[in-house]
Every structure is written in structure tokens, then in C-alpha cells.
Amino acid sequence: MKPVTYDDYIERDKTISFAGMGDLHQRMINEVGDDPDAMELYDELAETSARYALIRARWKLLSKAEKVDTDASRTACHNSLIVKFNQLARYLRQQGKTAEWRDILGYEEDDRMNRKRIGDFGCYIAFVNGINAR
């Protein structure tokens, strides 16, 4: 398998730059603040992001047969990730926050490619938590 780079990613359709993901994450963290319920929802999102990122990181390394065997669980985890983003945004809006970061990510109902963007952002959250776990 040919190694890939960030440049390979960013050239694709509907991607979010690393700086853009950093901005979205900071907006999210600012709105979560020290609200214990929001922090709990964020922790659930981070946990699901880590599970999804592991699946996605391995995806390019799997054979076709392994991908077929894994596809349903990958899709279920991706669906769960989207639900966690939506739950956090809904809660924050109930608390009077804008959760504009969620709108910037986009909704699958508006464009199927937004599903990929949401997955990408989940991988970013897993990355941030991973490097901060040292």
C-alpha cells in the first residue's frame, strides 16, 4: 500500500483543514466550559471518537474480505459518532449556546459528504486526546 499524507486528504472533496478542525474544536470546548452535563456528553463523544478513529485508521490496511467483515460495525460506530455530536449540540443549544460548530460540520441530510466530514472531525478529537494523554 502506498503511504498517504495530509496533502492527500486535504485535496479530497468536503475536507476540513487541520486549522479548521482546531477552530471547530475550540468553539466546542468553549461552549462546553465547566458545565458537568456538557462535559459528560463531550466525554462520551471523545470515547466514541477514539473507537471510530481506530477503525478508520486500520481501514486502509484491511483486505477486501476484512473490510466486508468489518463494514457493518464501522458503519454502526460512525452512526453512533454522529449521534454523539448531535446530542452535545442539542444540549448546548438548550443551554443557550449556538453550537455553530455543528452547523459548520454539516448534516448528512443536506449532503452525504457531510457524513465523512463528521467522521474526519471525530478522528481529529481522537488525535487531540491521544497526544494529550502522554
Side-chain angles (χ1 to χ4, degrees):
M1 176 184 67
K2 179 182 181 258
V4 293
T5 67
Y6 172 76
D7 290 337
D8 295 319
Y9 162 75
I10 205 66
E11 290 176 6
R12 299 173 115 178
D13 191 33
K14 290 284 196 169
T15 59
I16 311 170
S17 71
F18 203 72
M21 286 194 228
D23 178 61
L24 288 177
H25 193 232
Q26 190 60 56
R27 290 177 188 219
M28 177 190 290
I29 296 302
N30 289 345
E31 288 191 336
V32 167
D34 59 1
D35 178 323
D37 293 327
M39 287 189 289
E40 183 177 337
L41 288 167
Y42 180 82
D43 287 348
E44 291 174 9
L45 170 63
E47 172 64 33
T48 305
S49 293
R51 280 189 287 116
Y52 179 70
L54 176 62
I55 294 168
R56 199 142 139 200
R58 292 186 64 236
W59 194 253
K60 289 187 70 61
L61 305 172
L62 299 177
S63 68
K64 282 188 175 192
E66 290 170 319
K67 286 180 181 177
V68 168
D69 290 344
T70 309
D71 195 45
S73 62
R74 179 191 55 84
T75 299
C77 189
H78 197 169
N79 290 343
S80 180
L81 178 65
I82 293 168
V83 167
K84 295 299 179 187
F85 275 115
N86 290 342
Q87 287 173 334
L88 178 59
R90 184 172 36 255
Y91 174 79
L92 291 170
R93 287 179 177 138
Q94 289 171 347
Q95 303 311 305
K97 311 289 183 178
T98 66
E100 183 182 28
W101 53 266
R102 182 64 190 89
D103 296 333
I104 293 169
L105 277 176
Y107 298 90
E108 186 176 6
E109 301 80 28
D110 298 332
D111 184 338
R112 183 89 172 131
M113 291 301 289
N114 288 334
R115 180 178 176 84
K116 293 180 185 270
R117 287 170 56 91
I118 295 164
D120 296 346
F121 190 49
C123 289
Y124 176 85
I125 290 172
F127 163 75
V128 168
N129 284 323
I131 62 170
N132 277 292
R134 56 194 314 241

